Amino acid sequence: MKVLIVEDDLVLMDVLSFTLRREGYEVIHAQDGRAALEQFDAENPTIVLLDLNLPQLDGLSVCRHIRQTHDTPIIILSVRDSDEEVIEGLRIGADDYVTKPFSPAQLTARMETVLRRVGQSAPRKLSLGTVTLNPERHLLEQVDADPVQFSPLEYSLIELLMINGERVLPTQTIIDRIWPGGGDKAMLKQLVYRLRQKIEACDVYIDSVPGVGYALVQRKR
Amino acid sequence: MKVLIVEDDLVLMDVLSFTLRREGYEVIHAQDGRAALEQFDAENPTIVLLDLNLPQLDGLSVCRHIRQTHDTPIIILSVRDSDEEVIEGLRIGADDYVTKPFSPAQLTARMETVLRRVGQSAPRKLSLGTVTLNPERHLLEQVDADPVQFSPLEYSLIELLMINGERVLPTQTIIDRIWPGGGDKAMLKQLVYRLRQKIEACDVYIDSVPGVGYALVQRKR
DNA sequence: TGGGGTGGTCACAAAGCGGTCACAGAATCA
DNA sequence: TGATTCTGTGACCGCTTTGTGACCACCCCA
């Protein structure tokens, strides 16, 4: 079980780290908001402990960024007198908060509660860059744009491509997956064309690798 | 399940209110002792969260007044260093107390315990955004609108959709659940049509995901 | 230079799906 | 019993979905 601690006070950081390791958690950490997001993407932690008062990029923004694409539990570490921020954090989607100073036992108890609550639910969203596929609603969601809806076939295709990240999928593999009853290249060609039009405004596009197949990749800007 | 929060700190009030609503409770509140008793008589809440330090009429008096005529569970919200008052409160008949600062999880856990002890087997309303389904009365309730009544079938459907939050439910799943004896797409189509008309004015609507099924989602404004 | 193959674009039409409506039998309630 | 509500059915309509064929642009290689 991996914990990301986002906290710029190194002393507190050390205490937390020590305690949680002793409890059997694997601990990674970041000292500012930017590093937090990088670590989050790189390590994909199971739970996040988030200080709100951070250099570079404040905690609320970090929380917001994470929630755009992930359901990972977030516990806010707040100081007294920052109630408004805590409320805002919970609104944005944090799962709980503890007020400093707190005891290690208090924190781990809180973590367990949150993990238990989250543990029962939620299939994961698929995301690539700023774009997220929401399997529960069959929508492709983006930061600053309306979500995109799909027809059943289109959805199968984009889901298949998303699952495979930026890897190229051979044409025949795709056909077999989407038309189990038997499909053909012309049908796929057409489907790709339609899907491309739908996600034209998104930050990802369907790249074709001649002679091999297709891949969903991030648009660079 | 109705909660009366008696608390003069508006910020804390807001946090509590937000959390409890998310948990499916219906929240009403009062900022001083006198208003608390009025609200109590008018709304007849299932449980009371009571701050001791109140303007107009202090918490202990409120507690005493309520206990003279009702068994409604009362949980005291206390600050550190008010031990004598808490003890007095419990002696008067309060059921439990939590010390500020406390986490939402802590509070709801305490509430559930107390409710269970009192025999109010804690199940509660389902809510999505500003809309709440009242399973006891088969009503859909909203903040600024009249409640909506349902026929039995309509109620099964909206309950099923509410339970599943904003997830899409496959057509066949819905049919199996609503017509265990065997249903049919045309029947569901019709039922959806009728339910949509009933909840037209509400903050939620039934979204259809072509080829997959239906989901109850919040209307964006 | 030309021919075959690959992949992108477009228009079209058939099929199906979902939304709407009216109606009538069944169930419910006073 | 009579009135009202509830629920299944059939019909209609418009839109979406999806397969198909036609055409074009490009690349590779002889």
Side-chain angles (χ1 to χ4, degrees), chain A residues 1-214:
Chain A
M1 180 116 348
K2 219 183 274 183
V3 190
L4 171 60
I5 307 180
V6 187
E7 170 63 66
D8 60 330
D9 174 348
L10 289 182
V11 176
L12 177 55
M13 175 71 208
D14 233 354
V15 178
L16 287 178
S17 194
F18 176 76
T19 314
L20 294 179
R21 273 187 230 278
R22 202 179 43 183
E23 291 281 331
Y25 291 96
E26 182 184 345
V27 178
I28 52 181
H29 53 92
Q31 288 176 47
D32 64 70
R34 196 144 319 179
L37 291 179
E38 282 172 20
Q39 282 285 58
F40 184 89
D41 283 336
E43 300 280 349
N44 191 30
T46 319
I47 184 169
V48 178
L49 306 183
L50 180 63
D51 186 18
L52 287 185
N53 191 19
L54 292 173
Q56 299 278 8
L57 186 67
D58 73 290
L60 287 179
S61 305
V62 173
C63 185
R64 205 175 288 116
H65 272 86
I66 292 177
R67 266 296 166 280
Q68 270 163 11
T69 51
H70 293 80
D71 291 322
T72 313
I74 300 176
I75 295 180
I76 293 176
L77 312 178
S78 82
V79 292
R80 251 181 250 287
D81 310 327
S82 62
D83 288 349
E84 295 84 359
E85 282 184 309
V86 171
I87 297 173
E88 185 58 18
L90 293 173
R91 284 240 164 88
I92 291 172
D95 295 83
D96 205 344
Y97 71 97
V98 289
T99 308
K100 302 176 191 175
F102 48 80
S103 71
Q106 209 178 330
L107 177 64
T108 52
R110 222 55 87 70
M111 289 173 63
E112 278 160 26
T113 308
V114 168
L115 286 171
R116 200 170 335 116
R117 193 162 62 208
V118 173
Q120 302 158 356
S121 65
R124 259 295 155 61
K125 296 180 174 181
L126 291 166
S127 64
L128 181 62
T130 64
V131 149
T132 310
L133 191 68
N134 181 343
E136 290 171 1
R137 305 248 5 246
H138 281 220
L139 293 176
L140 189 71
E141 294 165 342
Q142 282 190 107
V143 196
D144 290 323
D146 287 338
V148 183
Q149 277 201 343
F150 299 102
S151 79
L153 276 188
E154 286 162 1
Y155 182 79
S156 315
L157 178 54
I158 191 140
E159 186 191 38
L160 186 56
L161 292 173
M162 287 282 266
I163 288 170
N164 285 274
E166 298 194 295
R167 271 187 299 266
V168 176
L169 273 169
T171 309
Q172 196 50 51
T173 309
I174 303 181
I175 293 173
D176 293 343
R177 284 294 214 81
I178 295 191
W179 291 274
D184 80 38
K185 283 191 182 184
M187 286 152 70
L188 178 57
K189 187 171 61 167
Q190 191 52 220
L191 183 59
V192 168
Y193 173 60
R194 282 166 178 150
L195 187 50
R196 274 184 175 141
Q197 289 187 313
K198 276 219 175 151
I199 62 173
E200 217 165 22
C202 301
D203 274 352
V204 293
Y205 67 97
I206 301 174
D207 193 24
S208 69
V209 181
V212 188
Y214 296 92

Side-chain angles (χ1 to χ4, degrees), chain B residues 151-154 179 184 187 189-190 194 210:
Chain B
S151 78
L153 275 188
E154 285 162 2
W179 292 275
D184 161 326
M187 286 153 70
K189 187 171 61 166
Q190 191 53 218
R194 283 165 178 153

Side-chain angles (χ1 to χ4, degrees), chain B residues 17-60:
Chain B
S17 191
F18 175 76
T19 314
L20 293 180
R21 274 188 230 276
R22 199 176 51 178
E23 292 282 321
Y25 291 94
E26 182 184 348
V27 178
I28 53 181
H29 53 91
Q31 289 176 46
D32 62 69
R34 193 145 320 180
L37 291 179
E38 282 169 18
Q39 282 285 57
F40 184 88
D41 284 336
E43 300 279 351
N44 190 31
T46 318
I47 183 169
V48 178
L49 306 182
L50 181 63
D51 186 19
L52 287 186
N53 192 17
L54 292 173
Q56 299 279 9
L57 185 67
D58 73 290
L60 286 179

